[in-house]
């Protein structure tokens, strides 16, 4: 397979039409290869990727140290069940714990699974009469039924009812509204420190701290879904550190293994024992390949000073995009924390995404009107500027035409 020329995009699409369930809207392009900031399609066209792997490829495509570590691990031990100990899983948990709030980890394979673990932990840890979890309008927590119910966006619920009981929804950013929802049955508050799918929504000053206080006063668990914001995305290891508000439970996935599948839920040593033997599991959770990749990801970020690089790149994007906002009425708002970037257009963003793609730049549109960039933290400044040139050109042309 590998040595052959890739199948054309057209023929690959035919394969999909026949054999793959069509539950995704896809661009009519088959991607064949990636390296660093670039990805190539089956026809050999090169794209600068400002949305690599939907935020998973925070180290760019095929990051060398992760590739090497995984290659080595593949020949040693691929998978053993969690009825055994492996040093790698222990070392991975330690590495995450030391860079966060000193907690313990449960490993799984995807963001939604990490959130399901958090939801179950809440139910197991709190008294039976306390079961309600407050989540937020515009949120996104994943696609399994519990996480889908936690996701307070009606478009994701259509046709799926009855949903899981025990979730109540608050407007994002409104601390008084959250306080009003708290009653004797409330067990937890679950929130993305910055909303991703909801349009890169940054919390108003003091909001997360307000939730922390509210949780403390009412004996609630505070869960941060850092599936998108974690692992260096904000220029800190975790967004909670950026905002200086520490949760009781944190979920991680997307970038945690440098582009491989992996996820974790972290919680404090006081809460952790409530997830007792027999109550939760994930067959592939914390497997040796994921653990090797996870450790290599952390090591690469530190060796190459990538948190600092992310903060520096963030300034480049901020300057360029705020300039664009000045020049172009179409750009209504620029929201940026580290390398989590939203450009609010106020009109449909899909044509801009297409125009960028035609010019060799990959970006995303979320919440209909927000151009979202989740670039890799080892981008060069020249690449950041190159992509901003293309984006500016596409937006200005759209505004003019
Ligand atoms: C992507 C995402 C999820 C879901 O992750 P999967 O790995 O697709 O299950 C959950 N929460 C947030 C904040 C996300 O961005």
């Amino acid at each position: 397979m590998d040595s052959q020329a890739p199948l054309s995009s057209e023929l690959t699409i035919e394969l999909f039409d026949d054999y793959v369930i069509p539950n995704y809207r896809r661009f009519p392009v088959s991607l064949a290869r990636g390296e660093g900031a670039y990805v190539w399609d089956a026809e050999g066209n090169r794209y600068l990727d400002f949305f690599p792997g939907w935020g998973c490829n925070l180290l760019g495509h095929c990051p060398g140290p992760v590739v090497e570590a995984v290659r080595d691990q593949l020949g040693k031990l691929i998978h053993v069940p969690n009825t055994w100990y492996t040093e790698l899983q222990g070392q991975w948990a330690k590495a995450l714990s030391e860079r966060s709030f000193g907690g313990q980890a449960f490993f799984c394979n995807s963001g939604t699974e990490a959130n399901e673990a958090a939801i179950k932990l809440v139910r197991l840890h709190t008294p039976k009469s306390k079961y309600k979890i407050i989540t937020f309008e515009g949120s996104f927590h994943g696609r399994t039924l519990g996480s889908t119910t936690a996701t307070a966006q009606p478009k994701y619920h259509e046709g799926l009812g009855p949903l899981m009981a025990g979730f109540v929804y608050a407007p994002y950013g409104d601390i008084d509204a959250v306080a009003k929802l708290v009653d004797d049955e409330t067990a937890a508050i679950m929130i993305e420190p910055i909303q991703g799918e909801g349009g890169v929504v940054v919390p108003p000053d003091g909001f997360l701290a307000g939730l922390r206080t509210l949780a403390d006063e009412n004996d609630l668990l505070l869960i941060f879904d850092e599936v998108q914001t974690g692992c260096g995305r904000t220029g800190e290891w975790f967004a909670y550190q950026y905002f200086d508000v520490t949760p009781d439970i944190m979920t991680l996935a997307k970038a945690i293994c440098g582009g491989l599948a992996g996820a974790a839920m972290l919680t404090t040593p006081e809460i952790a024992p409530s997830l007792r033997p027999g109550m939760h599991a994930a067959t592939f959770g914390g497997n040796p390949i994921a653990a090797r990749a996870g450790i290599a990801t952390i090591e690469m970020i530190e060796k190459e000073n990538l948190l600092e690089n992310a903060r520096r790149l963030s300034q480049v994007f901020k300057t360029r995009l705020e300039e664009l906002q000045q020049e172009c009425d179409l750009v209504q708002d620029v929201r940026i924390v580290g390398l989590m970037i939203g450009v609010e257009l106020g009109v449909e963003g899909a044509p801009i995404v297409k125009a960028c793609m035609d010019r060799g730049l990959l970006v995303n549109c979320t919440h209909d009107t927000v151009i979202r960039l989740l670039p890799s933290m080892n981008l060069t400044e020249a690449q950041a500027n190159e992509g901003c040139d293309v984006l500016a050109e596409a937006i200005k042309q759209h505004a003019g035409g």
Side-chain angles (χ1 to χ4, degrees):
M1 290 287 297
D2 211 17
S3 54
Q4 286 172 233
L7 211 55
S8 71
S9 291
E10 196 187 334
L11 289 175
T12 297
I13 291 166
E14 281 179 19
L15 269 180
F16 272 60
D17 288 346
D18 288 341
Y19 299 113
V20 180
I21 293 177
N23 64 307
Y24 297 101
R25 271 186 297 271
R26 298 175 194 266
F27 298 112
V29 175
S30 168
L31 297 178
R33 184 166 75 84
E35 190 183 323
Y38 297 102
V39 67
W40 285 261
D41 67 20
E43 282 66 38
N45 300 304
R46 190 184 82 166
Y47 304 88
L48 176 60
D49 198 348
F50 273 8
F51 198 66
W54 207 275
C56 301
N57 300 341
L58 185 52
L59 305 177
H61 290 275
C62 303
V66 177
V67 170
E68 284 311 304
V70 167
R71 278 210 174 111
D72 177 62
Q73 189 56 40
L74 277 169
K76 286 186 172 154
L77 187 65
I78 293 179
H79 179 63
V80 288
N82 277 303
T83 44
W84 305 91
Y85 293 94
T86 61
E87 177 184 340
L88 282 171
Q89 188 177 135
Q91 297 289 9
W92 190 18
K94 178 168 185 256
L96 289 169
S97 179
E98 286 176 348
R99 284 156 189 82
S100 59
F101 47 80
Q104 294 178 309
F106 164 80
F107 291 107
C108 45
N109 310 288
S110 65
T112 200
E113 254 186 281
N115 287 331
E116 294 290 340
I119 293 165
K120 280 175 78 170
L121 178 58
V122 165
R123 294 253 175 126
L124 290 168
H125 185 72
T126 54
K128 211 171 170 195
S129 59
K130 281 166 75 96
Y131 65 96
K132 285 185 191 161
I133 301 178
I134 298 173
T135 64
F136 293 87
E137 290 165 13
S139 60
F140 184 82
H141 298 295
R143 299 294 199 157
T144 50
L145 212 44
S147 297
T148 294
T149 310
T151 296
Q153 297 200 56
K155 68 178 176 188
Y156 292 127
H157 295 170
E158 254 168 56
L160 289 178
L163 297 173
M164 207 179 132
F167 287 90
V168 284
Y169 307 138
Y172 193 87
D174 184 344
I175 193 73
D176 296 331
V178 183
K180 279 199 193 106
L181 288 175
V182 175
D183 62 24
D184 292 344
E185 295 172 335
T186 310
I189 299 168
M190 180 172 180
I191 190 166
E192 300 157 81
I194 302 165
Q195 287 190 333
E197 306 304 309
V200 189
V201 183
V202 180
D205 282 346
F207 179 60
L208 297 177
L211 293 180
R212 180 70 272 176
T213 304
L214 196 64
D216 290 341
E217 287 172 356
N218 294 279
D219 209 8
L220 314 176
L221 296 173
L222 183 60
I223 307 166
F224 280 2
D225 176 347
E226 293 229 29
V227 169
Q228 196 162 138
T229 55
C231 309
R233 173 61 65 195
T234 62
E236 302 288 338
W237 276 114
F238 306 104
Y240 87 82
Q241 295 158 333
Y242 178 90
F243 293 109
D244 198 18
V245 175
T246 307
D248 302 300
I249 300 172
M250 170 166 76
T251 56
L252 302 171
K254 290 209 164 86
I256 192 173
C257 292
L260 278 84
M265 175 190 68
L266 266 67
T267 190
T268 65
E270 293 73 45
I271 299 167
S274 294
L275 206 67
R276 52 184 197 276
M279 291 313 294
H280 198 56
T283 298
F284 273 116
N287 67 76
I289 304 297
R292 254 324 261 286
I295 294 166
T297 296
I298 291 169
E299 286 176 353
M300 180 175 167
I301 289 172
E302 286 179 350
K303 268 206 194 102
E304 301 187 10
N305 272 323
L306 295 180
L307 292 173
E308 197 185 306
N309 203 50
R311 293 193 288 266
R312 201 172 61 233
L313 285 169
S314 183
Q315 282 307 315
V316 175
F317 278 103
K318 189 169 191 295
T319 305
R320 291 297 309 268
L321 295 171
E322 285 177 356
E323 247 169 51
L324 180 63
Q325 187 182 4
Q326 293 296 316
E327 290 167 15
C328 184
D329 289 343
L330 204 60
V331 178
Q332 299 192 343
D333 193 19
V334 174
R335 297 187 286 271
I336 171 164
V337 175
L339 293 176
M340 193 154 172
I341 303 167
V343 179
E344 174 76 63
L345 294 178
V347 298
E348 290 282 326
I352 306 288
V353 174
K354 172 77 168 62
C356 287
M357 199 163 84
D358 292 343
R359 292 169 168 80
L361 175 73
L362 303 186
V363 302
N364 167 258
C365 172
T366 191
H367 219 65
D368 299 334
T369 58
V370 180
I371 300 297
R372 177 173 45 163
L373 315 178
L374 294 173
S376 51
M377 63 203 303
N378 52 352
L379 215 59
T380 65
E381 227 174 281
Q383 288 164 338
N385 277 308
E386 180 190 328
C388 285
D389 288 342
V390 175
L391 180 62
E393 191 187 295
I395 290 179
K396 280 181 190 165
Q397 203 162 68
H398 191 75

